[in-house]
Amino acid sequence: MPGSVPAADPGRRKAVAMGRGDSTRSLGDPEAALLDALFGQSPVGLHLLDAELRIARVNAATPAMRGARMEDVLGRPFEEVCLPLLVDGPAVASLVRGVLESGRSVVGHVVEANGSAAASLGRFYEMSAFRLQAPSGETLGVALTVVDVSEREGGRARAAVLNAVREQVGRSLDVVVTCQELVDTLVPSFADVAVVEVVDAVVRGEEPRPSPLALDVPLRRAAFRSTGDTGAETPQAHALGDVRSLPFPTPYTQALSDLRPRVVALDDDLPWSAADPDRREAIRASGAHTLLTAPLTVRGTVLGLVSLYRTRYPVPFDEADADLVVQLADHTALCLDNARRYTREHTIAATVQRNLLPRHSPSRTALETEHLLVPAEGVGHWYDTIALSGARTALVVGTVAGSGIHTATLMGQLRTVIRSLSAFELQPDELLARLQGTVATLAAERAGLPPTDPLHHQVLAADCAYAVHDPLNRTLTVAGAGSPALTLVRPDGTAWALALELSSGSPLGTLDRTPFAASRFEVPDDSLVVLSTHPLPALEAVGRSPGTDLLRAHADHSLADLRDAVLYALPAESRAAPAAVLFARTRAFPAESVATWQLQSTPTAAAAARRHVRRQLTAWSVDDETAFHTELIASELVTNAVRYGKPPLELRLVRDRTLTCELRDAGVAAPHLRHAGPGDEGGRGLFIVGELADDWGVRYSDDGKTIWTEQTLHPT
């Protein structure tokens, strides 16, 4: 019968006697009374094991006595009674036997109870073990104390989860990545399944809506993880990336409504299952027994929802867990809001930069262009192609240090300034010198901002290369600020890189004011020109790198194919360096579209100019109105050159996208547009020219100046 002691087991019979207090005591009455008080009244679990590690005495506070009688426990081996109640029983048995054999005490060893018993779910105990010895040195056994530290260990575990979330979540400025960081941190340490759903507008960087969240607001399933390696073994109500509003009413919509967490026991009878059958089926298939859902909010606005489930872990969520999830949700919401703000600013900056870049390269008779932008963090870059007079084209590439909307704005300012300066027909070196002055002014304005403004401490620095291609003279004039590179491939296949030959000035915005100088190169027709803000390894000099072999190999391919080939040939380390690259292929300008005449500096020069212009425009089938206007323009330009300029005089007509009329003379005096009075006999020449032409201007060279006009050609 239970509690009886077999006569064949004298050791257990002795232990039972000790447990009942029937043994002969060697202690005095006070010591015996103390021992009886400890075993009878102490809330700390006490075990007295003999030299063979059998239970000699035990009190009711020990886990082994829950639901058991004293007679069933006394005299039985410690391993048989207590170790099945622990998660790592063999390790505890080895530890206790080591104390018995070595005499080295163990203090404060934490063990976890086996969760197979409902009363032991989530229980932790702190165990201490001491060897007992007689005055003679004989080993009598082991004394064990066991203290329930479940609340303390639970608090530590929750604190560890909170610290892990604070360390692991928020390292990225991407909304979806931040959500995935959260679920990766919580599974499997805190939950078996984790789902994060975010208001779809937040993913795009838009402002979140104030609470309560409207029922029709769509949420995107941004992150999911289960205790499986990939989550494939756990069914999902909806796939990752799915966007839809939440069915109502459910615990999820309630949490989003009152901004309070919900702990829900998931049994077979859920009153809200009809509202969300897909989610209910996923819960049933996964075997989840508890749900903890909490809103992701910041400053009273709803960003999303986190939902945690426990399937394999037997302990259900409780209110302490709900308090923890609120803290986790607050931290995650702040990280999501930071990521949202970054996404919004990045989107605005990217939109501004995209809009400031030319949508399409201008169609030029003698030049075909294509661009390549190698992006990098902390640097913005741009390119531009500008149509100039005389069938010429300006090629521009540049980079600006920094990122965000301020960098995009600065690029827009520099691009506008360059386009404005190019209208004055400045040489590349002079244009960059004036651009340097503009950057210095912008830098001074930035330095004058309050010290608390982030731009106050941000250095304003930019690189730029400006080149002008003249198809009529077959030349390319280049000037650079920083370290631009130019690579040319001739029609016969010879190629050379001119990165070291370019006379570059200091980067824009730096204190070093190295003068800018222009370099001029002969560029035959059907040549390939590659202009970049920085030298690229794939475009180094022939014989030192296969880069120019790549250019030669693609000489007959389209520029788009060449651009892709250069990008693919870049080493991985070079792709981290920002670069703006313009590819250009020169073409022969049709000889029949250019007419040039040398004029004598005499009073009859104007009449001769009109005859030449009339004859040529008739041959080109130019409409009568444009031809008449051009005759008058040529007459006025020649008359002014005879009166104020210096011979020799050269008149040139160029038929390209527009009709250009140019007059070159050796004088350097700048013409000025005057507004003559009713009684003035002169001063109306340039005024008439400006009224008849769509555009006009002056450009200077080493041997004089050229006054040009442009008119739109109308189909005949």
Side-chain angles (χ1 to χ4, degrees), residues 195-522:
V195 180
V196 179
E197 295 164 295
V198 182
V199 175
D200 191 49
V202 173
V203 180
R204 298 191 299 271
E206 299 175 8
E207 288 288 340
R209 299 191 181 186
S211 61
L213 199 66
L215 297 178
D216 59 345
V217 174
L219 276 73
R220 178 187 297 271
R221 178 163 287 215
F224 173 88
R225 184 170 180 179
S226 73
T227 49
D229 293 336
T230 63
E233 65 181 43
T234 302
Q236 296 189 59
H238 309 291
L240 275 177
D242 183 80
V243 180
R244 66 180 63 201
S245 57
L246 295 178
F248 176 86
T250 63
Y252 313 99
T253 56
Q254 290 298 95
L256 292 178
S257 176
D258 58 17
L259 307 185
R260 297 175 60 186
R262 291 290 192 283
V263 177
V264 181
L266 302 174
D267 49 30
D268 294 333
D269 184 18
L270 295 179
W272 48 271
S273 59
D276 196 349
D278 293 336
R279 204 175 301 250
R280 179 66 188 92
E281 179 59 27
I283 291 173
R284 185 199 61 78
S286 67
H289 59 78
T290 316
L291 160 68
L292 200 171
T293 183
L296 299 170
T297 62
V298 60
R299 293 183 295 275
T301 58
V302 177
L303 303 183
L305 182 75
V306 56
S307 301
L308 307 177
Y309 302 86
R310 281 185 175 172
T311 58
R312 300 178 179 179
Y313 193 68
V315 181
F317 291 114
D318 55 22
E319 292 302 321
D321 295 328
D323 293 338
L324 170 65
V325 171
V326 169
Q327 298 180 64
L328 304 181
D330 289 343
H331 173 79
T332 304
L334 286 175
C335 297
L336 289 176
D337 193 51
N338 290 337
R340 179 196 64 79
R341 291 174 180 271
Y342 172 81
T343 301
R344 180 174 181 271
E345 182 175 338
H346 180 75
T347 302
I348 294 174
T351 302
V352 172
Q353 182 175 354
R354 182 171 59 252
N355 289 336
L356 67 86
L357 296 176
R359 297 296 180 92
H360 304 285
S361 298
S363 176
R364 307 295 285 172
T365 303
L367 194 69
E368 175 191 2
T369 61
E370 193 62 68
H371 72 276
L372 168 64
L373 298 179
V374 182
E377 288 294 331
V379 178
H381 40 252
W382 86 96
Y383 70 93
D384 206 352
T385 54
I386 306 172
L388 302 177
S389 64
R392 298 173 307 135
T393 304
L395 307 177
V396 187
V397 291
T399 61
V400 175
S403 60
I405 187 64
H406 301 293
T407 299
T409 302
L410 179 59
M411 286 190 292
Q413 290 174 315
L414 296 183
R415 179 172 181 256
T416 301
V417 171
I418 291 173
R419 278 189 163 267
S420 299
L421 293 176
S422 66
F424 290 96
E425 300 285 353
L426 301 177
Q427 291 297 317
D429 53 341
E430 184 180 356
L431 185 143
L432 289 183
R434 294 181 180 272
L435 184 63
Q436 174 73 287
T438 300
V439 174
T441 300
L442 295 175
E445 293 177 353
R446 179 173 293 188
L449 294 173
T452 55
D453 195 308
L455 283 181
H456 177 80
H457 304 284
Q458 185 175 336
V459 177
L460 195 158
D463 294 337
C464 182
Y466 183 86
V468 175
H469 173 247
D470 189 338
L472 302 182
N473 295 332
R474 296 180 177 84
T475 60
L476 184 73
T477 307
V478 188
S483 56
L486 176 66
T487 303
L488 302 178
V489 180
R490 288 179 170 176
D492 58 5
T494 59
W496 70 102
L498 302 168
L500 300 179
E501 298 183 25
L502 292 180
S503 301
S504 301
S506 58
L508 303 173
T510 60
L511 297 178
D512 181 15
R513 298 300 181 89
T514 303
F516 298 101
S519 303
R520 178 170 295 181
F521 306 97
E522 293 185 2

Side-chain angles (χ1 to χ4, degrees), residues 76-94:
R76 295 174 60 187
F78 171 71
E79 297 181 9
E80 179 184 323
V81 175
C82 298
L83 300 189
L85 303 177
L86 304 177
V87 171
D88 196 2
V92 175
S94 177

Side-chain angles (χ1 to χ4, degrees), residues 495-686:
W496 70 102
L498 302 168
L500 300 179
E501 298 183 25
L502 292 180
S503 301
S504 301
S506 58
L508 303 173
T510 60
L511 297 178
D512 181 15
R513 298 300 181 89
T514 303
F516 298 101
S519 303
R520 178 170 295 181
F521 306 97
E522 293 185 2
V523 182
D525 297 335
D526 298 322
S527 296
L528 180 64
V529 179
V530 183
L531 181 67
S532 60
T533 53
H534 297 87
L536 297 178
L539 302 177
E540 292 179 355
V542 65
R544 294 182 297 178
S545 168
T548 47
D549 294 338
L550 174 69
L551 296 182
R552 287 200 297 257
H554 290 76
D556 297 331
H557 294 196
S558 68
L559 289 182
D561 292 341
L562 174 61
R563 172 200 59 197
D564 294 343
V566 170
L567 178 62
Y568 301 150
L570 287 178
E573 60 273 12
S574 298
R575 295 173 190 168
V581 188
L582 266 179
F583 300 88
R585 179 173 283 122
T586 63
R587 301 297 188 191
F589 196 86
E592 63 275 11
S593 295
V594 182
T596 305
W597 301 277
Q598 304 296 326
L599 302 177
Q600 299 295 324
S601 184
T602 62
T604 60
R610 287 195 296 270
R611 289 195 301 272
H612 292 315
V613 169
R614 186 183 310 112
R615 187 182 307 113
Q616 186 61 55
L617 295 185
T618 300
W620 285 344
S621 300
V622 176
D623 64 278
D624 294 340
E625 182 179 3
T626 302
F628 175 75
H629 290 170
T630 307
E631 288 183 45
L632 187 55
I633 288 172
S635 178
E636 293 295 335
L637 294 181
V638 171
T639 300
N640 284 346
V642 170
R643 179 174 298 181
Y644 304 109
K646 294 181 181 180
L649 307 182
E650 181 182 89
L651 178 65
R652 183 168 70 178
L653 292 180
V654 180
R655 184 184 61 177
D656 190 16
R657 60 185 179 85
T658 59
L659 178 62
T660 302
C661 179
E662 299 179 343
L663 183 69
R664 184 175 64 84
D665 71 276
V668 295
H672 295 283
L673 180 63
R674 295 173 55 190
H675 297 276
D680 294 338
E681 296 183 0
R684 295 178 177 83
L686 282 182

Side-chain angles (χ1 to χ4, degrees), residues 34-42 46 57 59-60:
L34 174 61
L35 190 61
D36 289 339
L38 286 175
F39 275 90
Q41 305 176 32
S42 174
L46 299 175
R57 193 168 185 180
N59 69 348

